Amino acid sequence: MRKILTAIGFALALPVILILIWWLISLGTTSIFMPKPDQLLREFFETWVGDRFFTDVLPSLARFAIGTGVAIVFGILIGLLVGLSRNLRDYTEPIFEFFRAIPPPVLIPVFGLLIGVSDQMKVVVIAAGAIWPVLLNTIEGVRGVDSVQSETSRSYGIHGIARVRFQVMPAAAPSILAGVRQALPIGIILMVISEMFFSSSGLGFSIIQFQRRFAIPEMWSGILMLGLIGYAVSMIFKVVERRLLHWYYGLKDIENAA
Amino acid sequence: MSTPPAPIDTITRSVAVAEARQRRRPFRPRRMLLGLAGVLTFLLIWEIASRTGLVGPTYLPPASVSVLTMFTNAGLSGFWVAVGQTITSWGLGMLLALALSVPLGVFIGLSPLLQKATRSTVEFLRPIPSVGLIPLAVLLFAVPLQQSLLIVTYGAFWQVFIQVLYGVADVDSVAMSTARSFGFTRWQRIRDVVFPTMLPYLLTGIRLAASVALILAITAELVIGTPGLGNQIALAKEAGLYASTYALVLATGLLGMIINVGVRALEHRLLGWHQSVRGEVAA
């Protein structure tokens, strides 16, 4: 019980102090750029609870989820395919390295040209930007599969799907998930920017609108909303990763203890 | 490098042969040719898709035209000015992020109390997408470079900071106690014990931050209109110069690759003594 209380104390102390400092500073100033904490909180609920949640937040989240989901699925599939063949790996390496080096937001004007302005285009932009970390980490993971393990599965006659399912996938899982972790923030970044560019709804669009109308507290509340989403996504990922890799962490704990 | 003539002894000889083979390994023409074929295939698909009208040729100029435009651009001073502007905001942002994150990371990392106290705040601030700060940057600063810098620095800061924390946590406690009992001052302990342990982590952080910072620098140019490559892309697209748009996109990809290669080379130089680099060479 005491342990839990001290843990909560440590988690809350600094945020509380920071908010207090912020509040004290904002008391003295009349700067319109800096809303007071209570004002921001009120604005946050006023702005985002209600219609806006359905017209802006949910569509944004849906685009993010579909785009990143597509990126993860295709990244893993193509990564497995390329990772398992040395020739294919050599064949694709320079071109993949090049695509990864292109800053993903640059794709927004390009896909705007190719596909036009639509929800579909935003999903494609998110998928096209978020796929690279997943893809390259999957290739790396498949390549790093223990060769003794591969020999063993070959001599036991484990081929094709079964080998991928029971040997390659588990062995590559830690690095695949590391790729997914890098892909998530890219997905969020692209979601926001693609909406800032051309859109009539969504979080990015709203935040830019607030800024242009000098609705400063609302703009701050939008940034807060983005922070909360980013935080939630990384927390969900942590839970999923723990579940999928519980055997891996178990192994590492044993190794560390030894 | 010349190996001294090995005595006629099977073991030494096979070691020498293995070493010689190892030194030769990095040059693999097959690999390079395959890679080149991959690039050519990509350009060919692009060319065909555009020439046959599979994708509107107005919106997707053929690869040959775009690549040619890129070379034409390379002869124009305006292009290099834009590259310079992008690299300036990238480099300054990286420097600022390093100057802030390394001392702060070491300071917090060395104190378990501070680490516990800051964890929740760090976990909350880190995932805030730095592009969310774009409107804030526009309001706070009038100078475009400062707007870019805020966003670039914020994004790069966390990458380095987290890695520095990991690195400091990795310091061997026996080494630390030994240094303390030998009467090392705090500064000496940081310089001679903490820093070498932290360096590989720090360089990983710099590598991650370098690509994030470039993404953010170009994003800021694209969205806010800070002068630089990103802004040039937006302008070219607005003006309907689509070949130029693609040429500039290719150029940003090349710039990204150059930065990646540069940081990797830096890593190799500074970590020549470290297992991760030595292991790579031997493998």
Side-chain angles (χ1 to χ4, degrees), chain A residues 11 86-87 91 93 105 113, chain B residues 28 30-31 41 120 219 242:
Chain A
R86 216 186 114 183
N87 283 337
Y91 183 63
E93 199 187 342
L113 278 180
Chain B
R28 273 188 289 184
R30 202 182 118 278
R31 199 172 156 205
T41 316
S120 59
T219 307
Y242 297 135

Side-chain angles (χ1 to χ4, degrees), chain A residues 134-209:
Chain A
V134 184
L135 176 58
L136 293 171
N137 274 293
T138 307
I139 295 176
E140 236 5 71
V142 173
R143 209 184 62 132
V145 167
D146 187 26
S147 59
V148 176
Q149 242 179 41
S150 300
E151 299 281 309
T152 313
S153 43
R154 189 175 312 141
S155 61
Y156 275 105
I158 303 171
H159 296 297
I161 303 280
R163 181 169 163 242
V164 169
R165 166 77 187 78
F166 293 108
Q167 189 221 331
V168 176
M169 273 305 266
S175 65
I176 294 178
L177 283 168
V180 173
R181 181 172 35 213
Q182 291 169 27
L184 293 173
I186 296 181
I188 295 183
I189 287 179
L190 287 174
M191 171 193 96
V192 175
I193 309 175
S194 66
E195 288 168 356
M196 284 181 173
F197 251 77
F198 6 59
S199 193
S200 49
S201 76
L203 269 168
F205 172 73
S206 311
I207 292 176
I208 284 285
Q209 282 295 306

Side-chain angles (χ1 to χ4, degrees), chain A residues 211, chain B residues 89 130 133-154 216-217 220-221 223-227:
Chain A
Q211 178 231 319
Chain B
S89 45
S130 38
L133 298 179
I134 286 178
L136 185 66
V138 173
L139 284 179
L140 282 183
F141 298 115
V143 183
L145 181 63
Q146 289 175 344
Q147 299 171 346
S148 282
L149 277 184
L150 174 71
I151 295 157
V152 173
T153 308
Y154 186 87
L216 291 173
E221 291 160 6
V223 179
I224 310 178
T226 319

Side-chain angles (χ1 to χ4, degrees), chain B residues 126-191:
Chain B
R126 189 165 63 111
I128 293 182
S130 38
V131 289
L133 298 179
I134 286 178
L136 185 66
V138 173
L139 284 179
L140 282 183
F141 298 115
V143 183
L145 181 63
Q146 289 175 344
Q147 299 171 346
S148 282
L149 277 184
L150 174 71
I151 295 157
V152 173
T153 308
Y154 186 87
F157 174 83
W158 295 110
Q159 306 281 346
V160 182
F161 180 71
I162 297 290
Q163 289 293 327
V164 170
L165 280 188
Y166 284 151
V168 176
D170 195 35
V171 170
D172 189 10
S173 57
V174 176
M176 205 59 180
S177 324
T178 313
R180 202 171 289 135
S181 62
F182 274 159
F184 279 33
T185 62
R186 198 182 172 76
W187 166 241
Q188 276 175 320
R189 284 204 301 269
I190 289 176
R191 195 190 59 192

